[in-house]
């Protein structure tokens, strides 16, 4: 795991002083962040907080107004073969005339280069990716005939076909059925086991502690980032969601129920002890665990460090 | 005279090939949502044609080159306006289309007044399309361009497919999206320009949109869609040019568009699955299935109080519970009886009447009640169970994921997490409203012990 000043293993993703603006209105402001390699990291925040924009800024899909992004210590452009992307499901037209296999094959296009068509090897790889998400029987199916959850799994399979070291995923769990949620979680855990890094935009507070080793809390600015057990606290969530307590209470109420079904997903979830303590901790009075209190509305952890030095996740 | 004169044969070949190319490239234009931009492009060619005529006279190649230049300029202007102003693209398309076309019309009027040679034929032919004036060299030019367009599409098929489906993903993967878009636009422009002499400015966009839109009704893959759109385009092109040649003064453009419209109409109505008739049939079937499930639930609710005895249900009572029209309810009773879910029965009043006054009872015709069969009870209980579970889920947990709620899904087990489902069933069981008498449900198999108990 990388620390500030550690140059041997650059973080998988590093953002410095990143500001993104649409028509002069900032959507992400002054983000300093480093994601260590091999972790499963959730990006959490309310609607419109800039979660997707954060991912798109890493991928170069939205231009940075200031600051820079590095992937494995270099520019994104020189490392793009090592990055896989799962966009939001709504970002494409699912009535497009292609089959599930066609979509997954698109994950191999980058390696193929200009004008070469996918051959038997790519086909085999794509079918393997479909099998990993439990969709092998739907390879020939036209994508408009798939359910929302199945479409999401096809998108994940396409990212698997990219065979990347770093995966950026935009809301892969939004509006999916139980079978899909289980299938996706299992795949993500597999990827983590293989040492891949996962940066996942997530909207469902109830499942955060079960899924992610680390979280990044954003709402225009970076509120906090670090190991879930330290950072996913009531105070930080209050700072992120601006006191919308109902959401937190819903979270506390459902965390228990959710954890009960989690073990069936197969792999033993990490931080079981932390998860078991989750509901109590969520409801504990402020000040108990180390919360990152925002001072001036800027990224609090970065503010405490000397200027110019990036802060890694603790 | 042979059936086809030599020149007619060439015109026929040219328009067929042109139709094929515009069908193929039109598929990409349609999927990349550039259909209206094609219209702006076509209209923006007129000033170019006129300027080229003023500069070089009636030289086919020069006219087409002029058309290409202002056509692309028009599209570029739409892109610039959309990027640097707050005006939306559709408005920009309207602005560019009308300004360029208006300017072109003014120029062509000027040419007609000041030029003595066959100017009128040269320019006006471009507006509505006219194949008669073409010579062999023109047609060879058109054919070459059409083949070239198809070849480029074939070469970059994979890249265009990705661009049209998911341009963001293409950009992330390092494909030059802007340049690919420009190439696609250029191919559209070339196709439009070579189509102008035959089809005309006003209706050229139909050649780009109608064959692909018709093809989409029949096929589900990109390559098949391109082939079929190409075939539709070729067919309309051939039909249009033949009609235009033999039916004297009819311009080719409108004829071609009418032929295309006929193909489109047939596709719209009769295509399996996506056609209007097929969809109406599907919707009817879905409604019927829904009505049956609703009716089964009503049967269960009517029988519920007397369970495990299967009570006789007076038909009048059932009709009263049914929310729709009485005729529908009667049809549903008949359907359930045919399916073996209902058997004839006698209501208690009738039974009492028969005991006290047998003759009066016999005079009342037919049975006045039904009873669920064992199989029917099973079906009805399942329908009621799913309905109540969804209802309970919506009441208690819908803030978790509203998107996955599907009250018509037969298999609630495959949609909801098992523990959530178990909790819902537990709640219903405690309330005494779980259909099936609280027997262990399928979903509980394989649950951790503390949850299953």
């Amino acid at each position: 795991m990388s620390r500030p000043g550690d140059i041997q293993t650059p973080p998988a993703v590093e953002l410095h002083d990143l500001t993104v603006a649409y028509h002069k209105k900032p959507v992400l402001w002054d983000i300093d962040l480093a994601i260590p390699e091999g972790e499963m990291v959730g990006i959490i925040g309310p609607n419109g907080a800039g979660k997707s924009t954060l991912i798109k800024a890493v991928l170069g899909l939205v231009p940075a107004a200031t600051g820079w992004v590095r992937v494995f210590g270099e520019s994104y452009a020189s490392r793009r073969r090592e990055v896989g992307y799962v966009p939001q499901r709504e970002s494409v037209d699912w009535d497009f005339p292609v089959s599930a296999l066609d979509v997954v094959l698109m994950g191999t296009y980058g390696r193929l280069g200009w004008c070469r068509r996918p051959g038997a090897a790519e086909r085999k790889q794509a079918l393997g990716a479909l099998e990993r998400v439990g969709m092998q029987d739907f390879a020939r199916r036209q994508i408009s005939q798939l359910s929302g959850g199945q479409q999401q799994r096809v998108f994940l399979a396409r990212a698997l076909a990219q065979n990347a070291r770093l995966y950026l995923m935009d809301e892969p769990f939004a509006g999916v059925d139980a079978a899909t949620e289980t299938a996706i979680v299992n795949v993500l855990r597999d990827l983590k086991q293989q040492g891949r890094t996962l940066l996942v935009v997530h909207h469902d507070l109830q499942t955060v502690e079960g899924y992610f080793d680390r979280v990044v809390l954003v709402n225009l600015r970076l509120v906090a980032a670090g190991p879930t057990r330290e950072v996913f606290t009531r105070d930080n969530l209050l700072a992120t969601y601006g006191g919308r307590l109902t959401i937190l209470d819903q979270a506390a109420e459902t965390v228990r129920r959710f954890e009960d079904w989690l073990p069936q997903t197969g792999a033993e979830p990490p931080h079981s002890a932390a998860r078991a303590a989750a509901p109590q901790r969520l409801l504990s009075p402020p000040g108990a665990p180390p919360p990152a209190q925002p001072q001036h509305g800027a990224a609090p952890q970065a503010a405490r460090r000397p200027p110019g030095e990036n802060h890694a996740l603790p | 005279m042979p059936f086809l004169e030599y020149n007619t044969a060439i015109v026929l070949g040219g328009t067929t090939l042109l139709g094929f190319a515009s069908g193929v490239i039109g598929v990409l234009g349609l999927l990349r949502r550039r259909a209206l931009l094609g219209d702006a492009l076509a209209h923006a060619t007129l000033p170019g044609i006129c300027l080229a005529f003023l500069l070089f006279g009636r030289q086919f190649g020069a006219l087409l080159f002029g058309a290409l230049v202002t056509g692309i300029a028009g599209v570029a202007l739409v892109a610039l306006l959309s990027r640097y102003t707050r005006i939306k693209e559709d408005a920009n398309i309207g602005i560019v289309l009308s300004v360029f076309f208006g300017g072109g019309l003014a120029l062509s009027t000027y040419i007609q007044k000041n030029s003595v040679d066959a100017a009128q034929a040269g320019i006006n032919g471009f507006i509505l399309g006219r194949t008669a004036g073409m010579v062999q060299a023109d047609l060879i030019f058109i054919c070459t361009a059409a083949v070239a367009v198809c070849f480029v599409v074939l070469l970059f098929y994979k890249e265009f497919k990705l661009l049209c489906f998911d341009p963001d993903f293409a950009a992330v993967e390092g494909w030059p999206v802007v340049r690919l878009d420009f190439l696609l636009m250029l191919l559209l422009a070339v196709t439009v320009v070579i189509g102008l002499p035959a089809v005309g400015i006003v209706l050229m966009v139909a050649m780009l949109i109608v064959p692909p839109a018709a093809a989409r009704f029949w096929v589900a893959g990109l390559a098949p869609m391109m082939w079929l759109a190409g075939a539709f385009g070729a067919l309309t092109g051939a039909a249009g040019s033949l009609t235009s040649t033999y039916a004297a003064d009819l311009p080719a453009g409108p004829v071609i568009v009418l032929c295309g419209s006929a193909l489109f109409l047939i596709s719209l109505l009769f295509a399996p699955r996506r056609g209007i008739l097929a969809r109406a049939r599907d919707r009817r079937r879905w409604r019927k299935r829904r009505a049956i499930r609703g009716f089964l639930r009503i049967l269960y609710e009517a029988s519920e109080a007397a369970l495990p005895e299967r009570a006789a249900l007076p038909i009048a009572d059932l009709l009263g519970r049914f929310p729709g029209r009485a005729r529908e309810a009667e049809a549903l009773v008949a359907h359930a009886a045919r399916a073996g879910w209902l058997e004839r029965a006698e209501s208690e009043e009738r039974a009492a009447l028969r005991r006290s006054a047998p003759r009066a009872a016999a005079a009342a015709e037919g049975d006045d009640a039904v009873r669920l069969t064992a199989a029917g009870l099973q079906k009805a209980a399942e329908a009621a169970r799913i309905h109540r579970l969804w209802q309970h889920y919506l009441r208690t947990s819908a803030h978790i994921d509203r998107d996955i709620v599907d009250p018509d899904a037969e298999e609630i087990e495959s949609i909801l997490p098992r523990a959530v489902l178990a909790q819902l069933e537990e709640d219903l069981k405690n309330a005494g409203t779980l259909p099936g008498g609280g027997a262990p449900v399928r979903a509980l198999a394989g649950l951790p012990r503390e949850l299953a108990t």
Side-chain angles (χ1 to χ4, degrees), chain B residues 73 124 190 357 390 424:
Chain B
N124 280 0
V190 168
W390 276 125
L424 294 175

Side-chain angles (χ1 to χ4, degrees), chain A residues 169-302:
Chain A
M169 307 189 179
D170 205 343
E171 300 265 17
F173 298 108
V176 301
D177 54 282
T180 296
E181 182 135 2
T182 307
I184 293 180
V185 170
N186 285 340
V187 169
L188 298 196
R189 294 208 170 116
D190 273 359
L191 289 170
K192 185 183 137 53
Q193 292 270 290
Q194 297 164 6
R196 326 277 175 118
T197 311
L198 299 120
L199 195 53
V200 182
V201 173
H202 196 60
H203 70 295
D204 187 4
L205 288 179
Q206 294 130 26
T207 51
V208 169
E209 306 199 289
Y211 288 172
F212 300 108
D213 318 333
R214 290 166 176 273
V215 290
V216 173
L217 296 170
V218 279
N219 190 355
L220 184 66
R221 68 210 152 81
L222 182 73
V223 178
T228 309
R229 63 169 84 180
E230 289 169 24
V231 170
F232 194 66
T233 59
R234 184 189 166 90
D235 284 356
N236 278 338
L237 287 173
L238 269 175
T240 313
Y241 284 84
R244 277 187 254 162
L245 261 170
T246 45
I247 295 175
L248 302 184
D249 293 341
Q250 281 170 11
E253 175 222 343
T254 33
V255 155
R256 179 201 59 79
R257 193 201 266 179
F258 180 76
E259 281 172 351
D260 287 340
W261 75 272
L262 202 67
Q264 301 162 62
T265 57
E268 178 60 24
H271 303 318
S272 336
R275 286 194 311 102
Q280 291 82 347
R281 217 158 35 67
L282 263 175
L283 293 174
S284 67
Q293 282 291 5
Q295 298 295 328
H296 319 290
Q301 301 196 356

Side-chain angles (χ1 to χ4, degrees), chain B residues 9-244:
Chain B
I10 290 187
V11 170
L12 183 60
T15 45
T16 306
L17 212 52
L18 169 76
F20 186 84
S22 54
V24 168
I25 194 69
V27 168
L28 292 176
L30 195 74
L31 293 175
R32 190 77 183 105
R33 301 178 187 200
R34 295 286 192 266
L36 274 181
L37 215 53
D39 199 22
L41 204 163
H43 282 77
T45 57
L46 187 56
I49 294 169
C50 294
L51 288 173
F53 183 85
L54 287 172
L55 291 174
F56 307 107
R58 202 220 174 271
Q59 285 177 32
F60 194 67
L63 294 184
L64 292 194
F65 184 74
L68 190 65
V69 170
T70 54
I72 290 178
V75 170
L77 195 60
V78 170
L80 286 175
L81 285 174
S82 303
R83 187 171 159 82
Y84 292 109
T85 69
R86 288 184 167 236
I87 308 170
K88 298 286 178 287
E89 192 180 44
D90 57 339
N92 290 326
I93 287 175
I95 292 167
V96 167
L97 186 151
S98 49
V99 168
F100 275 64
F101 193 59
L105 283 178
L107 274 174
S108 77
T109 313
Y110 171 82
I111 290 170
Q112 280 174 42
K113 283 195 176 143
N114 294 279
S115 166
V116 277
D117 61 7
Q120 194 159 354
I123 303 293
N124 280 0
F126 277 96
I127 295 179
L128 285 180
R130 210 185 112 121
T131 48
M134 286 193 223
V135 294
Q136 195 181 339
D138 301 349
L139 283 161
I140 290 174
F141 185 80
I142 289 176
C143 292
T144 314
V147 171
V149 165
C150 292
F151 179 73
V152 176
V153 170
L154 196 67
L155 196 62
F156 297 112
Y157 172 76
K158 174 183 96 213
E159 286 76 10
F160 282 136
K161 186 183 196 174
L162 184 58
L163 174 78
C164 293
F165 176 63
D166 195 347
D168 273 2
F169 189 80
V172 165
E173 284 275 87
W175 299 102
V177 168
V178 174
R179 266 177 273 170
L180 279 172
D181 259 334
F182 182 78
L183 180 62
L184 178 57
M185 210 61 237
L186 188 70
L187 293 176
L188 278 168
V190 168
T191 313
V192 164
V193 165
I194 61 171
L196 294 183
V199 188
I201 288 170
V202 180
L203 295 171
M204 185 56 208
V205 69
M207 283 298 274
L208 293 174
I209 299 179
V210 174
R216 184 66 183 93
F217 280 103
W218 302 92
V219 291
L222 183 57
M225 185 176 166
M226 282 180 162
W227 283 111
L228 191 60
F232 281 172
L235 205 64
T236 51
S241 71
L242 280 179
T243 322
S244 178

Side-chain angles (χ1 to χ4, degrees), chain B residues 358-366:
Chain B
R359 209 164 290 166
E365 268 185 36

Side-chain angles (χ1 to χ4, degrees), chain B residues 285-303:
Chain B
R285 284 186 186 161
W286 176 81
R287 277 175 138 155
K288 188 173 175 195
R289 242 190 350 260
R290 230 186 103 82
I292 290 172
R293 291 171 62 82
F295 185 64
L296 279 169
R297 183 164 53 77
I298 289 172
L299 288 176
Y300 181 81
E301 280 163 3
S303 313

